[in-house]
Amino acid sequence: MKELFALVDCNNFYVSCERVFNPELAHRPVVVLSNNDGCVIARSNEAKALGISMGVPAFKVKNIIDRNAVKVFSSNYALYADMSSRVMETLSTFSPEIEIYSIDEAFVDIAGFNCSLTDYGRNIQRTVRQWTGIPVSVGIAQTKTLAKIANRIAKTSAKADSVLDLTHSPYLNKALDKTPIEKVWGVGLKTALKLKRAGIETALALRDVDISWIRQKFGVVGARTVYELRGVSCYALEQNPPAKKSISVTRTFGREVDSVEQLKEAIASYISIAAEKLRQQHLAACVMTVFVATSRFIKNRYSNFYTMEFPVATNDTVELIRRGLVCTDNLYRKGYRFKKCGLTLNSLVPEGQIQGSLFDSTDRDKSGRLMQAVDAVNARVSCPLHWAAEGLNQSWAVKFNRRSHRYTTRWDELPVVA
């Protein structure tokens, strides 16, 4: 049986999440900002039409925002993550074979369905909208790369109306010719520049290139992209993605930090997040790297990192915080105002395959039970437990001055019906 993919992509996802709980935002220009309300990371179609570009600092478009009454929101990651889970759960009712590609995208295996694929795509679109309130676009094709192209055109084509089937389509060549080479899935910026220098500027030109030349210049990965454009599937669904090789948590402070105590609070807080991610994936870390940095825009800049190896791999928050604070002591320099810090956990191993040490005095069973208890409590309550090292005030914390309510994850922020 030939493979067949539907790429389901949520439209302007962060903005759509805000609109689900605030119908007054419909047809209004809306933007969502990054941490500390810095840059635009999501825009409604109306905001795009005003010329607000992705990634632009908010202060640079303040005049456009004020003049056009653009509604501005801080990032509400708890809401977005929960709405994403609802969308993915809805998609699972259409096929058990799903690859969650990102927070707002998923590939769905629809091979073997004996019906109009366009109608099936509209059914997916209609059901997701009805069950979650989120509008989606659906691109259907024989390969992931072609499904990506189909989805991209579906979003902008009035004729497609958010659903496009490119399987056996008479418009396939036109669709490929309209797709710039840099918009082809898997073609990075450097590769696109090299292809353009060779006169290959569209997906159609790449599809028709000599395969031996592309293999010589760009290796197996380049050849696979060409085959995918020719309708030969080279990338199957990844329902069990490979375990992560590292986990990072990085934040820019809401205000600059100059004391070692506050820097330690921030590091402890970020370690707590990273450790929870480790346990969710049943992994443990052998190496931790902590870094600190001042603003890049001052004359007397400072940035540094400190790496610590563990004799026994761990995902114990207490142990990781204790070691992280040692790293912070080695990084702190009096007189500097720090703008950012973070950490990376490396050399990850499955928690069931941790190599013990003859000189390890830690009660691993006891610490494991403690972490399980903490995770269980945090999974049930809207206000999670925090470690004392994280501090109480956290005046350095990331700012979300315009954040909407976390409607689906906090009892005290449930929608109010008048």
Side-chain angles (χ1 to χ4, degrees):
M1 182 184 297
K2 291 186 177 180
E3 292 185 280
L4 198 60
F5 302 93
L7 175 62
V8 182
D9 186 11
C10 302
N11 299 340
N12 307 322
F13 180 56
Y14 289 179
V15 170
S16 294
C17 291
E18 300 291 350
R19 282 176 165 171
V20 168
F21 298 94
N22 190 349
E24 293 181 358
L25 297 176
H27 310 300
R28 284 189 58 182
V30 181
V31 298
V32 176
L33 304 180
S34 62
N35 290 345
N36 294 311
D37 298 340
C39 300
V40 174
I41 58 172
R43 307 158 294 161
S44 66
N45 290 336
E46 296 80 5
K48 295 175 185 178
L50 294 175
I52 299 176
S53 57
M54 181 68 86
V56 64
F59 74 88
K60 288 189 175 182
V61 290
K62 187 178 185 302
N63 289 338
I64 297 177
I65 290 172
D66 293 341
R67 189 166 58 246
N68 296 278
V70 177
K71 189 67 175 177
V72 180
F73 289 94
S74 303
S75 299
N76 191 342
Y77 298 120
L79 175 65
Y80 307 153
D82 187 68
M83 293 300 292
S84 174
S85 297
R86 295 174 186 224
V87 170
M88 300 310 166
E89 187 175 354
T90 302
L91 293 179
S92 68
T93 65
F94 288 91
S95 172
E97 309 290 329
I98 285 183
E99 176 188 338
I100 299 175
Y101 184 67
S102 67
I103 192 172
D104 62 348
E105 286 181 280
F107 288 102
V108 181
D109 182 2
I110 58 173
F113 288 88
N114 297 318
C115 61
S116 165
L117 295 178
T118 298
D119 289 344
Y120 196 72
R122 298 217 178 280
N123 189 25
I124 292 175
Q125 182 187 50
R126 185 168 51 251
T127 304
V128 173
R129 185 62 180 265
Q130 182 179 358
W131 291 9
T132 70
I134 301 295
V136 300
S137 297
V138 183
I140 300 171
Q142 299 98 321
T143 70
K144 285 183 173 181
T145 303
L146 287 174
K148 273 276 191 180
I149 291 174
N151 189 284
R152 179 175 178 271
I153 296 174
K155 284 181 178 293
T156 57
S157 169
K159 184 177 180 180
D161 191 23
S162 298
V163 177
L164 180 60
D165 172 22
L166 283 184
T167 60
H168 312 297
S169 171
Y171 303 106
L172 176 58
N173 285 354
K174 185 177 179 180
L176 295 178
D177 193 42
K178 289 176 61 178
T179 304
I181 192 65
E182 64 271 16
K183 298 298 183 180
V184 175
W185 187 50
V187 175
L189 180 60
K190 291 184 179 179
T191 300
L193 291 174
K194 292 179 182 178
L195 288 168
K196 286 183 177 181
R197 283 196 285 267
I200 302 170
E201 298 194 2
T202 66
L204 181 64
L206 181 59
R207 184 198 68 180
D208 296 336
V209 77
D210 180 70
I211 196 67
S212 60
W213 178 85
I214 203 77
R215 185 180 288 111
Q216 179 185 4
K217 296 293 185 180
F218 300 97
V220 175
V221 174
R224 285 176 178 169
T225 300
V226 173
Y227 280 124
E228 286 257 322
L229 291 173
R230 293 178 180 179
V232 179
S233 179
C234 298
Y235 299 105
L237 285 183
E238 291 187 7
Q239 293 179 279
N240 297 302
K244 288 189 176 183
K245 296 182 179 179
S246 66
I247 290 177
S248 298
V249 177
T250 302
R251 300 285 190 275
T252 299
F253 298 135
R255 67 169 184 79
E256 291 181 323
V257 167
D258 57 6
S259 73
V260 68
E261 291 79 16
Q262 291 182 324
L263 196 60
K264 285 183 174 181
E265 286 180 3
I267 290 295
S269 180
Y270 303 162
I271 287 175
S272 178
I273 296 171
E276 186 174 348
K277 290 182 178 180
L278 272 180
R279 295 192 294 273
Q280 287 173 349
Q281 299 175 42
H282 306 290
L283 297 172
C286 297
V287 178
M288 176 168 61
T289 298
V290 175
F291 83 91
V292 298
T294 61
S295 172
R296 295 178 297 163
F297 305 106
I298 61 175
K299 184 176 181 180
N300 191 25
R301 296 191 300 268
Y302 170 74
S303 63
N304 204 353
F305 65 91
Y306 191 91
T307 299
M308 181 175 289
E309 296 186 19
F310 310 142
V312 178
T314 182
N315 57 20
D316 184 318
T317 303
V318 176
E319 184 176 5
L320 289 169
I321 287 177
R322 185 170 61 247
R323 296 179 183 277
L325 298 185
V326 174
C327 295
T328 309
D329 280 328
N330 284 276
L331 292 170
Y332 177 75
R333 298 292 184 272
K334 189 175 182 180
Y336 287 99
R337 298 177 65 84
F338 296 94
K339 184 66 177 175
K340 187 177 184 180
C341 76
L343 69 133
T344 300
L345 299 173
N346 286 307
S347 300
L348 307 185
V349 298
E351 61 182 2
Q353 301 177 19
I354 296 176
Q355 180 67 45
S357 170
L358 181 63
F359 304 103
D360 183 22
S361 59
T362 302
D363 188 337
R364 300 289 167 182
D365 291 335
K366 182 178 180 180
S367 69
R369 292 193 300 272
L370 174 60
M371 294 303 108
Q372 287 179 359
V374 171
D375 291 342
V377 171
N378 287 347
R380 290 175 175 233
V381 299
S382 58
C383 297
L385 297 175
H386 291 283
W387 303 93
E390 299 179 56
L392 297 176
N393 183 28
Q394 295 190 346
S395 58
W396 44 266
V398 178
K399 294 178 181 177
F400 298 100
N401 293 331
R402 304 186 188 212
R403 184 171 62 191
S404 58
H405 286 181
R406 290 159 287 186
Y407 300 102
T408 63
T409 57
R410 294 286 294 259
W411 285 107
D412 57 337
E413 297 183 13
L414 287 173
V416 177
V417 179

